[in-house]
Amino acid sequence: MLTAYPGNEKGMSEPTSDHRPVVVGVDGSDASLTAADLAGEQAALRNRPLEIVHAFMAPVPRPLGVPPDLPPVDGVTDPALRDAAGRILTDAAARVRTHFPDLAMISRLRDGSPAEVLTDASRQAALVVVGHRGVGGFAGLLTGSTSIQLANHSHAPVIITRGELYHTGPVVVGVDGSEGSRRAAGFAVETAALLGASLIALYAWPADAVWSPALAQAGQPPPTVPEEVTQILDEISRAHPEVPVHMEIRPGSRPAHSELVTASRNARLVVVGSRGRGGFRGLLLGSVSQALIHHAQCPVAVVGPATAHA
C-alpha cells in the first residue's frame, strides 16, 4: 500500500542534495504516535520527506488441535485486517499533518517483521524513528533480539522515543574516543545545530582507571582526557562552531549507562554509538543497552557502524 501526501513547498527552505526520507514505524500505539511527532519534527528540520511505515504480519492460521469454538485467525484472506492497518497509517499521517502541514509525506504498508521491515527501509533513509513500546506490527520492538538487530544493522541512525519530548535542553553524547563515538558525536552536533541547542559530551572514566572515585571525591582533578576524545571534540567544534560544546567528565564510580540516564533527565536527546570502548564498551550489548533504552528520560539515538547520517 502506498499513499502519497505531497507537501506545500511555499515558505520552505531549499531541500537537501539527496532525497532520503526520515522513516518512522507506527502501529497505532501511543508510543508510536509520539515517534511520529518526533519524526515529523526531524523531517521538517532536515528538509526531508517523512515516510510512515507499518509492518503487517498476518496472524498464523489456526493449527490442528485448537478447539473449534475459537474464532479463525487466518488474516491472509481477511482484507479487514489490511484495512485496519491502512487506517493506522492514515491516522498517523493526519496527526503529523496537523503540526507540519507543509511536510511531504508518504505512507507504506509493508509485509514482514518490524526489524526486517525497518532495517530494509533504513537502506534508503536518512534517519529511522521508533517508539520504545508498541502493539500489533511493532509489538516488542525493543525487547529481546529485535532491538539489537535494528540498532546493529540499520543503515541510518535510529532514534528511540523515551520519556518526554522536550523542546529545551541540550543534546548529550557519550564519547570514549572510539570510531563509534566519533560517528555519534557527528550526528549529535548536527542535530544540536538544527535544534539550536548546546551539546554536552560526556566521558566516563573506566572504573579501574587512575582517576578513582575516591580521588574524585577528594577533589583530585582528572588526568588528561585521552587524545582521541579531545580530537573528536575539536572536529565537531570546527564543523559546527555555532554549537556550544561542553565536556563533562565522570569518575568510574557508576556504570557509563547510569551517567547517561542521569544526563537524560534534562536533555532533548541522548546519542550513543553502537560500539565503543572504555566507559562505553558494549553499550548496545546485553544489559547495558536495555538499561539505557528502558530508563532514559528522553529519546535515545543510536548511530551504528553502517550508518551514513544526514
Side-chain angles (χ1 to χ4, degrees):
M1 177 178 179
L2 180 65
T3 306
Y5 298 87
N8 178 1
E9 297 184 358
K10 181 179 180 181
M12 295 179 66
S13 57
E14 290 298 318
T16 55
S17 58
D18 65 76
H19 301 286
R20 292 177 298 153
V22 171
V23 173
V24 59
V26 298
D27 61 8
S29 67
D30 290 342
S32 78
L33 292 177
T34 299
D37 292 339
L38 179 59
E41 177 188 58
Q42 287 294 315
L45 285 171
R46 299 171 189 275
N47 282 321
R48 294 185 177 278
L50 178 66
E51 182 175 324
I52 305 174
V53 177
H54 178 68
F56 183 79
M57 296 182 67
V60 178
R62 182 174 58 199
L64 295 176
V66 173
D69 56 334
L70 293 181
V73 290
D74 185 1
V76 177
T77 59
D78 187 355
L81 290 178
R82 285 191 177 273
D83 290 343
R87 286 194 296 273
I88 289 173
L89 290 169
T90 301
D91 292 345
R95 178 185 176 103
V96 174
R97 179 67 68 208
T98 61
H99 299 291
F100 304 98
D102 296 331
L103 185 64
M105 287 189 283
I106 191 168
S107 294
R108 296 185 188 273
L109 181 60
R110 301 183 61 173
D111 293 324
S113 69
E116 174 190 17
V117 165
L118 289 176
T119 299
D120 184 63
S122 76
R123 296 177 183 275
Q124 304 298 326
L127 177 67
V128 179
V129 184
V130 292
H132 74 285
R133 284 288 186 273
V135 296
F138 287 91
L141 179 63
L142 291 169
T143 60
S145 63
T146 307
S147 61
I148 302 300
Q149 292 175 34
L150 183 60
N152 286 346
H153 299 295
S154 175
H155 295 264
V158 177
I159 294 182
I160 302 142
T161 60
R162 283 286 320 172
E164 300 294 331
L165 299 185
Y166 299 115
H167 296 287
T168 59
V171 173
V172 175
V173 60
V175 293
D176 60 10
S178 66
E179 186 58 33
S181 73
R182 173 176 274 103
R183 286 189 292 268
F187 176 81
V189 74
E190 289 180 6
T191 303
L194 291 170
L195 294 170
S198 61
L199 178 67
I200 294 177
L202 194 152
Y203 175 75
W205 276 96
D208 58 351
V210 292
W211 190 41
S212 67
L215 291 176
Q217 292 172 2
Q220 179 70 32
T224 303
V225 173
E227 183 179 357
E228 296 89 347
V229 173
T230 59
Q231 287 177 349
I232 290 174
L233 298 184
D234 289 343
E235 289 173 7
I236 63 176
S237 294
R238 288 196 301 269
H240 289 277
E242 75 278 17
V243 176
V245 178
H246 308 284
M247 181 74 181
E248 293 192 5
I249 305 172
R250 299 285 189 271
S253 56
R254 297 197 305 165
H257 71 264
S258 295
E259 298 292 354
L260 288 172
V261 169
T262 298
S264 73
R265 295 172 182 170
N266 300 303
R268 297 183 69 167
L269 180 70
V270 172
V271 184
V272 292
S274 64
R275 289 293 186 274
R277 65 187 183 198
F280 292 92
R281 184 184 300 277
L283 187 59
L284 286 173
L285 298 176
S287 62
V288 177
S289 64
Q290 295 300 317
L292 183 60
I293 291 173
H294 291 297
H295 297 292
Q297 297 183 35
C298 73
V300 176
V302 179
V303 183
T307 63
H309 56 78

